[in-house]
Amino acid sequence: MTAASSPTPGLRIRKAAVLGAGVMGAQIAAHLTNAGVETVLFDLPAKDGPKSGIALKAIANLAKLSPAPLADKALAASIIPANYDDDLDHLKDVDLVIEAIAERMDWKLDLYKKIAGHLSKTAIIASNTSGLSINTLAEALPEEMRHRFCGVHFFNPPRYMHLVELIPTRLTDKNVLDGLEAFLVTTVGKGVVIAKDTPNFIGNRIGVFSMLSAMYHTDQFKLGFDTVDALTGPALGRPKSATYRTADVVGLDTMAHVIKTMADTLPDDPWHQYFKAPVWLQGLIDKGALGQKTGGGFYKKVGKDIVVLDVAKQDFRPAEQKPSDEVAAILGIKDPAEKFGKLRASTDPQAQFLWASFRDLFHYSAYHLADIADTARDVDFAIRWGYGWKLGPFETWQAAGWQQIAEWINDDIKAGKAMSNAPLPAWVTDGRKGVHGKDGSYSASANADKPRSQHPVYRRQLFPDPILGEKFDTGTTVWENDGVRLWRLGDDGIGIISFKTKMNTVNDHVLDGVQHAIKLAEEKLKAVVIWQTGEPFSAGADLKGALGLLKEGRFDDFEKMVTNFQATSMAIKHSLVPVVSAVRGMAFGGGCEFQMHSARTVAALESYIGLVEAGVGLLPAGGGLHELAIRAAKANPADPFEELKKVFETVAMAKVSASAFEAKNLGLLRDGDVVVFNAYELLYVAKQVANALAESGYRPPLPANAIPVAGDVGTATFKASLANLQAGYFASPHDIDIATRIADTLCGGVIERGSTVDEEWLLALERKHFVELAKTEKTQARIAHTMTTGKPLRN
């Protein structure tokens, strides 16, 4: 089941068409298909082979891309390949058309003329242009269609980047815009920002300027490309790809094209003189070194090493990538005001580079706010969601002390140090403390603070992505201990259990807390949702605590902990009120087991779920294997082994799903579990599901007392397949021992095939094997290695 219908009546999108099967078009088609929308992918007719060969090739290529555009590779078969000669008939029953062809105004206008006569009277037409004028594009459409046209700009890669910019024309119907916003937010799972029809809109206007500013200052302060990346990546709360790696990933030719668009379309911009590709960028392009797609740009791989271009030497050298000691210390300062003060005062070229880059970004963003966006919030969200920054430019400035930074920018403008001598707008220095406050975010065009959108779709986001300083109602605590909080939001009778541990790991406080919270819920509430205020859902058991017990030889206490883990899973499964798990991000080990035992799981599309214990030399013992054995017996009582074959490899190889759909394929989610595309709607949907279960007279499953198992014959069959792995050196003897114990537990132990057992029998098998493995030196070494390096050890 997928939560894929739009919550706002008036816009139902059953079928869509994407025009253009290039990188973006094919991936937009893939993500619409992920979302359960029947999608036709169009391109030009092929000169050789099948007429729709270009679209067919693009669909086949989706399986090769990383990160994967499809949440389940099998979905590729649902995308319909088409060409403009033979298949325009498909358009007559399409509800939404997204044009995603090359950034050529003349080509786009020709295409609109070609398709206009084939569309229904209600179809919405949108362009995925990254910067061309939406109003100019609208003029190619017949007059009666212009109110149904707008820009809808996805960021690359479309499945993963949260941002979609929605750009209305002067004539776009408000109902069309509202309907499309609801569809994009809920069905497609996006963060929508309404942008004005200005070149490059908001995300790329500010984001590309930020890159241009970094490139300009790279030159000014004579820094290496790898040094700049060390400074402008995670150290600033930005992606690892930072500046120059991002350019390599995007493609240096694409980067240069976007810069040229800015130069051509923004002749009056006070920063216009900088809208050109730096000499070294143009030099790489002329050589055909366009970045990742050609095997090298600013960086390239030589053997196992990454080398970086050194402009002075006109050659490549090993990439070092680290800030100076002084700058590393400044970046480690928690207080943003102190951090910026030290950056500005330092004589270290790296610190000067950072101050100058921020100064010019803040200057540019403030100067253009009135023209490009309705509010400062739209700018910050566009950069956070489209470029992956933790804070947008205005949030960063406000956090660092608005007036002090403004004063410094003004001083630098007067001293001729800033990239432009354009004055800061008057509102910047009117005594304000920032642009985000209790009344909303500042709109420079309206000279007023504006609250968040009142669009009904946002009622589904009980905890939306907060802007700086924004606080939401955190509900009423029913009960809490050191591990969990049981609380309520509103008076719907639904409790929420949230963990308090780092990475939401599971320790004794969490185990005792979940059990007690469920007892209270049975007395006072009608349903419970397990939901965390951030990611992950749970990284699994607290390995540090477990290893401590093992090192001290406290095996009785260790076994008690395992027994308590199982008791918690059973409390979830047999609770008299429905327990719904709301999963996003990682749900590993015990976290995966808790959701397996819930009455229902509601999972965000980007959920990475796995029983990963084999990776640390253990097996799942929070009831996970027992639950898989029960499910196999229910699905095929005559021969549970057939079902177990599907999940044995998943557990023995510690496989983790790359999406919620894949978790269903791996047997870690059930067919009836719900997939939600927008993670900010997860709690809302989980509460709805919990309420529906409660209202429909929910009863927990009865204890299973006669579970047919595959027995020793099943275990022997699994062991035979493992022998091949060991013979080919794909698995160590310890890997084989772990996998054999997993097989033994899933198959019910050393008993005859077809025998029946009860749940306690399976749980006891889990405990026995878990404790025996934990006592081994090799497993303890694996746990310790994972804790210190974050990586598995093969021993």
Side-chain angles (χ1 to χ4, degrees), residues 116 280 298 392 425 492 664 774 785:
W280 27 264
F298 291 109
D492 54 10
K664 289 190 176 191
H785 187 270

Side-chain angles (χ1 to χ4, degrees), residues 47 68 101 203 293 370 448 476 638:
K47 292 188 171 66
I101 68 166
K293 60 189 170 190
T476 311

